[in-house]
């Protein structure tokens, strides 16, 4: 069984542990309304999220390194505002980006981490900057991870293969002794392609990639994750 040799669970944070839409949409609505836009906040968020990933992929493809998670999110915000004809100054955009400091975890996360910590090392493996991740872990998630690994240590965004291999090296483990947990299918695909095991947390009811790197399990949330890994 795939679980027999697992020693560490590596967790994506943005969208998996942290509820991005639930945290940011309440701020997006008033921001748009103040600028005369009647665009639905959920629609705007969906566009922003897609554009953010494009920005990350472009950085990887062009070998620009890790320009910073918050910076690619800012660039994506500027793009989506322009796409929808919403005017906002650079200072207003920067002020709005401060809402990323207020991200909240999904309610099922910490209880599941408490259960899982009895058997596994629990590690954050994230596209965020080190100081940003430290803030989120301590002040928003309020969980003391066994390690917090930023992709900045590799100089590329996930799913660059170096990220997953570096994480295993940092932990002193074989790649196959680590299991990637993510609600972003590309992240599980990236880990599996490098030899990690992987669980897809299907929070958003989205299909998994049609690639030869399937997840070892699919769960609905972190309660299901704990049930799966402790059974």
């Amino acid at each position: 069984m795939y679980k027999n040799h697992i020693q560490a669970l590596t967790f994506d944070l943005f969208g998996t542990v942290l509820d991005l839409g639930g945290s940011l949409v309440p701020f997006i609505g008033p921001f748009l309304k103040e600028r005369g836009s009647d665009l639905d906040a959920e629609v705007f968020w969906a566009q922003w999220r897609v554009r953010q990933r494009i920005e990350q992929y472009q950085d990887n493809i062009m070998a620009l390194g890790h320009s910073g998670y918050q910076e690619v999110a800012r660039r994506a915000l500027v793009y989506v505002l322009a796409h929808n004809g919403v005017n906002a100054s650079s200072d207003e955009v920067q002020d709005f980006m401060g809402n990323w400091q207020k991200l909240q975890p999904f309610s099922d996360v910490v209880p599941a981490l408490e259960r899982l910590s009895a058997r596994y090392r629990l590690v954050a493996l994230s596209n965020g900057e080190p100081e940003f991740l430290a803030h989120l872990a301590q002040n928003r998630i309020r969980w003391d991870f066994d390690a917090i690994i930023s992709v900045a240590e590799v100089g590329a965004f996930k799913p660059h293969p170096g990220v997953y291999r570096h994480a295993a090296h940092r932990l002193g483990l074989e790649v196959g002794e680590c299991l990637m947990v993510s609600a972003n299918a590309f992240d599980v695909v990236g880990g599996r392609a490098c030899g990690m095991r992987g669980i897809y947390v299907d929070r958003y009811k989205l299909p998994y990639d049609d690639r030869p790197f399937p997840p070892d399990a699919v769960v609905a949330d972190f309660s299901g994750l704990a049930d799966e890994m402790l059974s």
Side-chain angles (χ1 to χ4, degrees):
M1 176 169 298
Y2 76 93
K3 291 179 281 190
N4 291 347
H5 303 292
I6 298 301
Q7 296 191 38
L9 307 185
T10 59
F11 292 90
D12 169 67
L13 293 192
F14 300 113
T16 302
V17 169
L18 294 160
D19 182 5
L20 301 188
S23 300
L24 294 171
V25 165
F27 298 105
I28 291 172
F31 184 79
L32 294 175
K33 187 174 181 180
E34 288 167 5
R35 283 151 190 83
S37 174
D38 60 0
L39 182 66
D40 182 78
E42 294 279 0
V43 171
F44 187 93
W45 166 245
Q47 294 177 359
W48 187 5
R49 185 69 168 142
V50 169
R51 183 64 196 185
Q52 179 190 2
R53 287 176 175 157
I54 291 174
E55 294 285 345
Q56 292 171 191
Y57 295 153
Q58 285 179 331
D59 276 12
N60 274 4
I61 292 168
M62 294 187 289
L64 295 177
H66 180 255
S67 56
Y69 186 87
Q70 293 169 98
E71 171 56 18
V72 296
R74 185 200 65 78
R75 293 200 311 250
L77 174 58
V78 170
Y79 178 94
V80 176
L81 287 169
H83 176 71
N84 288 288
V86 180
N87 294 317
S89 69
S90 296
D91 287 344
E92 289 170 334
V93 166
Q94 199 59 51
D95 286 345
F96 185 75
M97 285 298 300
N99 291 312
W100 283 82
Q101 305 297 321
K102 306 170 186 176
L103 298 178
Q104 295 285 353
F106 288 97
S107 61
D108 57 299
V109 166
V110 172
L113 294 180
E114 290 172 347
R115 293 173 61 193
L116 291 163
S117 64
R119 184 177 299 182
Y120 301 101
R121 294 163 70 182
L122 307 183
V123 177
L125 178 57
S126 174
N127 279 331
E129 306 88 331
E131 65 279 3
F132 186 33
L133 298 181
H135 157 68
L136 293 171
Q138 179 177 351
N139 301 315
R140 310 310 297 174
I141 306 168
R142 294 185 174 88
W143 182 263
D144 185 18
F145 288 97
D146 293 296
I148 298 176
I149 303 174
S150 167
V151 302
E153 298 175 22
V154 177
F157 288 99
K158 293 185 289 181
H160 190 287
V163 170
Y164 307 99
R165 293 168 182 155
H166 172 74
H169 178 73
R170 269 277 311 269
L171 297 172
L173 298 173
E174 296 289 335
V175 176
E177 294 176 314
C178 303
L179 183 144
M180 187 70 219
V181 178
S182 184
N184 300 305
F186 74 84
D187 204 359
V188 181
V189 169
R192 292 286 291 114
C194 291
M196 277 190 175
R197 310 317 304 183
I199 289 184
Y200 180 42
V201 184
D202 191 14
R203 290 197 183 279
Y204 308 105
K205 301 298 182 285
L206 294 173
Y208 192 82
D209 297 38
D210 183 18
R211 294 179 182 273
F213 305 107
D216 292 290
V218 177
V219 298
D221 52 28
F222 268 47
S223 296
L225 171 68
D227 290 344
E228 169 69 18
M229 292 307 298
L230 297 174
S231 61

